[in-house]
Amino acid sequence: MSIEVEGLTKFYGNQKAVDDISFSIKSGEIVGFLGPNGAGKSTTMKMLTCFLNPSSGIAKVCGIDTSISPIEVKRQIGYLPEHNSLYLDMYVKEYLGFVAGLYNLKQNTSQHIKLIIEKTGLGQEQNKKIGELSKGYRQRVGLAQAMIHNPKVLILDEPTSGLDPNQINDIRKLIIEFGKDRTVLLSTHIMQEVEAMCDRVIIINKGKMVADDTTQSLQKRFKSTLILNVEFKNTVKESELNAILGVGSVTEYGKNKWKLSAEKGTDLREAVFQFAVDTGNIILSQNEEEQRLEEIFQHLTKNG
Ligand code: ADP
């Protein structure tokens, strides 16, 4: 196993940021680590990369315990933190040379840096100061520094946050390319990111794990749910909608616009129509949709 986490827990003072999570990731997997803001993703990643000590539990990378041999673990890991602090006054090539020097690489360093610059598409920018680069290119420099020592495991914290759609595409391609023969754990709160890159998803909410499954079977598992979007003319109460027979969950998504979930096979339309008649309301529009991954995520992380 490339990553093994067992009962990992982290307290900040009295606050439990990560609550007894366990999972393992094999070599060659690209796993999406998902959760809303504050779920505990960064904290987990910091423990995996030895920047934080767990309050309890075990984290191992390539079989090495992070609390026993942190230096050895760091050699196996490439880490792109969420706020990637680079030396803005350094030139791209100079900076990568500096990072390579820290790792004491066995191979010809300048050849290797050239290769990494090529792979990360930094050729045109290599002689610029990091401070002059766009956010997308700075993120490439971050990825280049994370990969420079040929780590077996890449831990990427929100690698595409703040980038424009073109930059996002480029960074995703890069990650997929590097992930072919490495293990990648990447955090995000964007579902499309997972759909685009990951074949497995771990979801955490308020420090607890709420799902660990392949993207496909997560979608399949929730395919049995139908969503009915209804727009009423007049105000309705959530509790009134909840009381309609067959309604699973209720979410307001606009003024007098509601999403009602039901098990597949349950036709809510008649009951909702009857509800409107009984309460003197009018249905302005309604349509059915299948749950998308985005909604599955919202469903899993809404409560708990
Ligand atoms: P995520 O990466 O999923 O957004 P974090 O791991 O950053 O979540 O945060 C989890 C929880 O721990 C949040 O409630 C956050 O406010 C808290 N937290 C994170 N870092 C610290 C810290 N250094 N000191 C105190 N609380 C923290």
Side-chain angles (χ1 to χ4, degrees):
M1 286 295 166
S2 291
I3 297 178
E4 288 166 273
V5 165
E6 186 68 52
L8 202 63
T9 300
K10 179 72 189 176
F11 280 94
Y12 291 113
N14 288 330
Q15 191 200 351
K16 213 183 224 184
V18 174
D19 189 357
D20 191 19
I21 65 171
S22 303
F23 60 84
S24 50
I25 303 177
K26 290 196 296 277
S27 172
E29 282 190 287
I30 301 185
V31 178
F33 194 35
L34 270 120
N37 281 330
K41 303 181 296 293
S42 296
T43 302
T44 304
M45 290 181 147
K46 284 179 194 161
M47 289 191 279
L48 276 171
T49 50
C50 312
F51 282 90
L52 273 180
N53 286 322
S55 303
S56 60
I58 294 169
K60 285 183 183 172
V61 175
C62 301
I64 310 159
D65 194 319
T66 51
S67 39
I68 295 173
S69 317
I71 293 172
E72 195 44 46
V73 167
K74 282 185 185 177
R75 259 192 216 119
Q76 310 291 337
I77 276 187
Y79 176 40
L80 179 66
E82 186 182 3
H83 303 290
N84 184 22
S85 43
L86 299 163
Y87 295 97
L88 301 183
D89 276 334
M90 280 182 106
Y91 294 88
V92 172
K93 202 167 154 188
E94 179 193 23
Y95 172 68
L96 293 175
F98 163 72
V99 179
L102 296 178
Y103 284 106
N104 236 334
L105 299 179
K106 287 197 185 77
Q107 62 263 65
N108 179 325
T109 309
S110 61
Q111 273 295 329
H112 184 61
I113 292 169
K114 213 172 141 192
L115 188 74
I116 286 280
I117 285 177
E118 204 177 288
K119 276 194 172 175
T120 46
L122 283 166
Q124 300 280 335
E125 322 292 322
Q126 59 181 306
N127 296 315
K128 286 189 185 164
K129 274 190 178 172
I130 295 173
E132 292 167 16
L133 301 181
S134 67
K135 187 138 200 298
Y137 276 104
R138 281 190 205 180
Q139 205 65 341
R140 284 169 193 252
V141 176
L143 275 175
Q145 66 82 22
M147 294 163 179
I148 206 153
H149 55 299
N150 290 321
K152 294 199 178 91
V153 176
L154 274 179
I155 309 259
L156 311 174
D157 199 351
E158 308 256 352
T160 62
S161 94
L163 304 185
D164 70 36
N166 283 336
Q167 294 169 334
I168 288 177
N169 247 340
D170 290 347
I171 295 287
R172 283 182 186 165
K173 273 192 214 146
L174 254 176
I175 294 170
I176 291 169
E177 180 60 32
F178 275 91
K180 277 182 185 157
D181 51 2
R182 274 160 245 242
T183 305
V184 182
L185 178 67
L186 67 96
S187 79
T188 177
H189 54 272
I190 310 162
M191 262 296 171
Q192 293 94 308
E193 192 119 306
V194 173
E195 283 167 334
M197 284 193 278
C198 312
D199 27 44
R200 182 173 152 207
V201 193
I202 294 172
I203 304 180
I204 63 167
N205 188 36
K206 296 181 183 164
K208 283 190 187 344
M209 262 176 71
V210 291
D212 177 2
D213 215 334
T214 61
T215 316
Q216 229 183 5
S217 69
L218 202 61
Q219 278 168 316
K220 226 185 256 166
R221 182 140 62 96
F222 283 84
K223 268 237 167 84
S224 54
T225 310
L226 265 184
I227 302 288
L228 184 67
N229 297 313
V230 194
E231 182 181 2
F232 293 100
K233 184 154 190 245
N234 306 316
T235 315
V236 284
K237 287 200 191 107
E238 186 172 338
S239 56
E240 292 174 328
L241 293 172
N242 259 321
I244 298 173
L245 195 68
V247 169
S249 67
V250 171
T251 319
E252 190 171 18
Y253 70 99
K255 191 168 183 286
N256 299 335
K257 291 180 177 172
W258 295 86
K259 280 182 188 289
L260 312 177
S261 79
E263 278 189 21
K264 211 170 188 172
T266 310
D267 192 348
L268 282 181
R269 288 172 303 176
E270 200 177 322
V272 171
F273 178 75
Q274 195 56 50
F275 163 80
V277 171
D278 292 348
T279 54
N281 212 326
I282 292 169
I283 293 171
L284 296 178
S285 68
Q286 69 173 4
N287 62 69
E288 283 181 333
E289 61 173 81
E290 284 209 331
Q291 278 225 79
R292 293 189 51 245
L293 210 50
E294 187 76 37
E295 270 109 27
I296 297 170
F297 173 67
Q298 281 169 5
H299 175 84
L300 284 169
T301 57
K302 207 170 141 188
N303 305 308

